[in-house]
Amino acid sequence: MIKVMAEILVTGATGNVGREVAVQLVSVGIPVRAFVRDGRMARLPEGVEVAEGDLSVPETLERALTGIETVFLVWPFLTSNGASAILATIASAARHLVYLSSSGVNEDAERQTDPINQLHADMESLIEASGLEWTILRANTIASNALGWAGQIRDGGVVRGPGIAPTAVIHQRDVAAVAVRVLTSDKHASAKYVLTGPQVLSRAEQVRMIGEAIGRPLRFERVPVQVAREQMLADGRPPALVEALLASAETRPHSDLITSTVEEITGAAARTFREWTVDHADDFR
């Protein structure tokens, strides 16, 4: 059942998932307002209304929430500091919040295994206590994270990084497709969905598939944490994010988890990582 077509506010709309959520909402005729820091740089699809602001400044979000009933939230920070004020601002205007979380969150653990999962666990707790109607999307590793390897691939064909346990990588379009269904329906209140791709892949397998898509042999080289840190900083990633990612790499447990949630909610099977590499081959050439 589709809700009345009230405008939906999408945060993180210049990111890989948020942008795709906005694109897919517009494609089915749902009014979208994108909350972005700089509207001049957003380059969003035609039909998306742009509201400028910053999630670190609740007052700017308050203006963007005028007439909004539903919010898609991507939290861009590495801690939940300031989130209570943002959630209170959302609750003062909207009714339903859909939050992009991580499949690594373990509800039974007093503390999570790494800073990123701890952030998401903290955010989920705050959201559940916010008074909003909520839905949590716990996404596995998102395929577009591999775009961070583009510079290394173009420069030499060897991707160097820390060893990370294999995971069922999910195409960002599938995360967005689930988000669109959840944002436009009343059937998903208080639900937590774990979203994965259809195949567990190591980093070496991902790199090999990118090479097959661009017609050039590539390989992944596991390196010590300090070398990985230097490479990730050279790739242009923010230092705080690099430290969080490295902590995650060192502690992430092996998981063979594959869910059918994407197909159950959207009616279409989850895309493979190989499909993603074909979609994004030009980004690596």
Side-chain angles (χ1 to χ4, degrees):
M1 177 179 176
I2 299 294
K3 297 190 294 188
V4 175
M5 303 303 185
E7 195 164 24
I8 292 173
L9 184 70
V10 176
T11 72
T14 57
N16 292 312
V17 175
R19 180 184 297 277
E20 190 62 38
V21 170
V23 166
Q24 293 189 30
L25 285 169
V26 168
S27 72
V28 294
I30 306 296
V32 178
R33 184 179 302 160
F35 187 66
V36 300
R37 288 185 177 180
D38 188 346
R40 295 168 301 177
M41 303 295 290
R43 297 190 297 275
L44 290 162
E46 185 176 354
V48 175
E49 179 186 354
V50 172
E52 291 190 348
D54 193 316
L55 285 175
S56 65
V57 186
E59 295 79 10
T60 63
L61 180 61
E62 186 176 348
R63 294 193 296 269
L65 285 165
T66 302
I68 295 292
E69 292 184 359
T70 304
V71 176
F72 179 70
L73 178 62
V74 178
W75 189 247
F77 309 113
L78 292 173
T79 75
S80 61
N81 294 342
S84 293
I86 288 297
L87 292 172
T89 301
I90 294 173
S92 70
R95 177 176 60 86
H96 184 202
L97 176 72
V98 177
Y99 176 65
L100 181 61
S101 185
S102 166
S103 65
V105 172
N106 180 356
E107 291 187 17
D108 297 326
E110 184 175 342
R111 294 291 297 176
Q112 303 297 313
T113 58
D114 65 75
I116 293 176
N117 284 329
Q118 187 61 54
L119 158 68
H120 288 300
D122 292 342
M123 288 296 296
E124 289 188 18
S125 295
L126 292 172
I127 288 166
E128 290 178 45
S130 68
L132 285 156
E133 178 184 298
W134 52 264
T135 311
I136 305 295
L137 304 182
R138 290 177 172 170
N140 212 322
T141 301
I142 297 173
S144 54
N145 291 353
L147 293 172
W149 301 332
Q152 294 186 68
I153 287 172
R154 285 193 294 264
D155 290 345
V158 179
V159 174
R160 297 177 175 86
I164 295 182
T167 185
V169 182
I170 184 168
H171 199 304
Q172 69 270 13
R173 289 183 184 172
D174 288 329
V175 178
V178 171
V180 167
R181 301 310 193 281
V182 170
L183 288 162
T184 57
S185 171
D186 287 319
K187 300 189 299 182
H188 305 281
S190 302
K192 298 178 182 179
Y193 295 122
V194 177
L195 312 178
T196 78
Q199 183 181 14
V200 174
L201 296 171
S202 67
R203 287 192 149 196
E205 289 169 323
Q206 292 175 56
V207 170
R208 175 178 55 77
M209 289 182 182
I210 293 170
E212 291 168 355
I214 66 175
R216 186 157 60 90
L218 305 176
R219 65 182 175 88
F220 177 78
E221 180 181 314
R222 181 174 178 173
V223 297
V225 167
Q226 182 55 40
V227 176
R229 178 181 289 110
E230 294 169 0
Q231 181 63 63
M232 293 166 78
L233 291 171
D235 288 341
R237 304 191 189 201
L241 176 60
V242 168
E243 295 308 316
L245 290 172
L246 289 173
S248 173
E250 292 183 302
T251 58
R252 178 185 292 172
H254 179 78
S255 173
D256 291 323
L257 177 66
I258 295 175
T259 70
S260 57
T261 311
V262 170
E263 185 167 9
E264 290 169 3
I265 293 179
T266 69
R271 296 169 174 87
T272 65
F273 185 76
R274 191 176 299 280
E275 289 177 88
W276 182 88
T277 66
V278 173
D279 293 341
H280 291 272
D282 287 344
D283 294 316
F284 298 97
R285 292 191 171 111

